[in-house]
Amino acid sequence: MSDANVRIPEEAKDRLAAIAAAEGLSLRAYLARLAETLLTPAERAERAEKALAELKSWNGYAPTAAEQRDLDGELDRRLARVAAR
């Protein structure tokens, strides 16, 4: 396994280290786990495509591109409202 140096603000490093410690992990182990659990944009797109295909086969739901944009906008509005609390 090779190591990598990543330059981030000290405050960000301290925050990540505190989160890692609270979970009983080193910063290195925490970042490795984080990297394994996050999806790349391509992986997210692939999962979304599969989910839409499953919905269509299950119940015929096949939103248009405009409907998807509207639904994405509604989700963004709801998430922003929750984040503002």
Side-chain angles (χ1 to χ4, degrees):
M1 178 185 317
S2 64
D3 285 334
N5 292 322
V6 179
R7 294 179 54 86
I8 61 173
E10 190 72 25
E11 299 82 21
K13 182 191 83 65
D14 292 344
R15 180 175 171 78
L16 289 169
I19 294 167
E23 295 188 25
L25 298 170
S26 67
L27 179 55
R28 179 183 182 165
Y30 179 77
L31 291 174
R33 187 180 74 181
L34 185 63
E36 291 171 3
T37 60
L38 295 176
L39 299 175
T40 66
E43 291 167 334
R44 283 194 306 273
E46 181 182 349
R47 284 194 181 187
E49 187 177 310
K50 285 180 180 179
L52 283 173
E54 285 296 319
L55 283 170
K56 186 176 181 182
S57 71
W58 176 57
N59 66 7
Y61 180 70
T64 65
E67 289 170 327
Q68 286 184 23
R69 283 191 302 275
D70 290 345
L71 291 168
D72 287 344
E74 177 62 22
L75 180 59
D76 289 343
R77 282 189 294 281
R78 290 180 185 206
L79 290 172
R81 187 172 48 214
V82 170
R85 292 183 188 172

